[in-house]
Amino acid sequence: MQLYEQYAVTTVFVCPLYLATIILGSLGTGIVIHAYVTDKATHKAFTFLLTNLAIADLIVCSLFTPLLFCYRVHETAGIIGFTPLCELCLFLSMSSTSLIFLVFPLLAYCRKDAMLLPDHPRFSLERARTVTRVFWVLSILSGVMMVVMAWCDLANKDSVFPYLYRCLIINQSLDLHAQVFLGYSIPLFGLSITVTFIIYIQIYCSKSSPTVTLSFEEWQTTKVCFCSAVIYVVCWTPFVLVQMSGVFGTYTELHFNLHGMSSAIGVLGSALSSWLYIMGIPYYKAEMKRFHRLDKNSIDISGKGSALAGFYVCFFLHVFTLWNYGNFVDSLSQMFRRLNSPVSN
């Protein structure tokens, strides 16, 4: 594997997107999850699936994206490659994105059930829980599989940077690692989006059916879920195209930098979708208004205080890191390099 230089324009482009994803995504997904945990009246198949989708988005926004930020903000230090954060980055990215694209068709099917059979839905909460548990297991196994393959690849590498590229899903050629990754992720991405859009088209074509619900809230919720699927397609398609062009063509330094930009756009989709749910779905919109209301008798002070505290801690932590990243990351990088270097007698 060849090492590449990150352009300054890439750093300037990705860092604000990463910070926006971390702050907005963590807050938005937190509100969706908090609403499900605190309001038992929402414990239905649809809200259960949406909450699991929010959990996957929260993993992307609050755990995976900060690791990308730490790497891209000072790429030459390569600090992630000298720590277990490298494997954690690969595991989180594979497991969370796998769950997202596994749940999407299920969420669309749930909306079809609610729209076409409002009185006697076939997709119950228990069935949703059973299928989601299977999806969680499959997603975790996919992450473990890629980490094990990266470990096997590490045994044949002299430098930590090519291994770091593996953890960041930077594939420069169509080797075994890239074949497994593309053979799993591309069909999952394509089938998930295809099945999802087919179901939404079926809902739209059945609009004039007498059995279809006329509830404004249900139609609004279905439109928001469809728009969420569109957001994920728009945000992740550039990443897929960069992967394909780099693997099947000649990988250059331009591909390396486009990989960073496309991944920043991809993770941003998790932050945007959570706020789409909040602003578009009537229930979550009301929850957001309740969250911001100043009347102490009508809000959960502890919930709001925890969310605001998390918001400010996350914000100031990343501003501090961005302001001092040069000396901070260099010192940590040197420390981990010493720990990983062979001891001379």
Side-chain angles (χ1 to χ4, degrees), residues 142-164:
S142 69
V144 172
M145 174 187 67
M146 297 306 298
V147 170
V148 171
M149 290 195 64
W151 279 342
C152 295
D153 191 58
L154 176 63
N156 301 320
K157 301 297 181 183
D158 297 327
S159 173
V160 73
F161 279 93
Y163 180 61
L164 176 59

Side-chain angles (χ1 to χ4, degrees), residues 4-34:
Y4 297 99
E5 179 183 357
Q6 180 172 296
Y7 302 150
V9 66
T10 303
T11 306
V12 173
F13 179 84
V14 302
C15 286
L17 292 183
Y18 285 150
L19 286 175
T21 300
I22 294 168
I23 297 172
L24 296 179
S26 299
L27 184 60
T29 54
I31 292 175
V32 175
I33 297 170
H34 179 267

Side-chain angles (χ1 to χ4, degrees), residues 309-337:
F311 173 85
Y312 287 119
V313 169
C314 182
F315 177 77
F316 287 113
L317 176 63
H318 286 92
V319 169
F320 173 80
T321 304
L322 182 62
W323 184 262
N324 299 277
Y325 76 88
N327 296 329
F328 177 73
V329 176
D330 275 335
S331 60
L332 284 179
S333 177
Q334 292 173 9
M335 179 184 70
F336 283 113
R337 280 190 176 121

Side-chain angles (χ1 to χ4, degrees), residues 257-321:
N257 285 271
L258 288 177
H259 179 278
M261 294 181 179
S262 61
S263 64
I265 297 173
V267 296
L268 184 63
S270 293
L272 295 178
S273 61
S274 63
W275 284 99
L276 180 64
Y277 302 143
I278 294 172
M279 304 307 296
I281 297 178
Y283 171 77
Y284 293 110
K285 191 174 183 179
E287 182 72 10
M288 185 63 184
K289 291 180 179 179
R290 185 181 71 84
F291 183 81
H292 282 293
R293 199 173 298 142
L294 297 179
D295 184 3
K296 294 183 179 181
N297 295 324
S298 62
I299 60 174
D300 181 2
I301 297 297
S302 61
K304 182 179 178 181
S306 299
L308 287 178
F311 173 85
Y312 287 119
V313 169
C314 182
F315 177 77
F316 287 113
L317 176 63
H318 286 92
V319 169
F320 173 80
T321 304

Side-chain angles (χ1 to χ4, degrees), residues 117-138:
L117 299 170
D119 298 327
H120 304 285
R122 294 172 294 183
F123 197 69
S124 63
L125 176 59
E126 289 301 322
R127 185 174 296 181
R129 286 174 174 170
T130 301
V131 177
T132 305
R133 289 191 191 103
V134 175
F135 285 172
W136 270 104
V137 172
L138 293 176

Side-chain angles (χ1 to χ4, degrees), residues 146-184:
M146 297 306 298
V147 170
V148 171
M149 290 195 64
W151 279 342
C152 295
D153 191 58
L154 176 63
N156 301 320
K157 301 297 181 183
D158 297 327
S159 173
V160 73
F161 279 93
Y163 180 61
L164 176 59
Y165 286 178
R166 292 297 196 198
C167 295
L168 296 173
I169 318 180
I170 300 175
N171 296 308
Q172 302 180 24
S173 62
L174 195 60
D175 53 16
L176 179 60
H177 190 280
Q179 291 175 15
V180 173
F181 170 74
L182 294 176
Y184 169 78

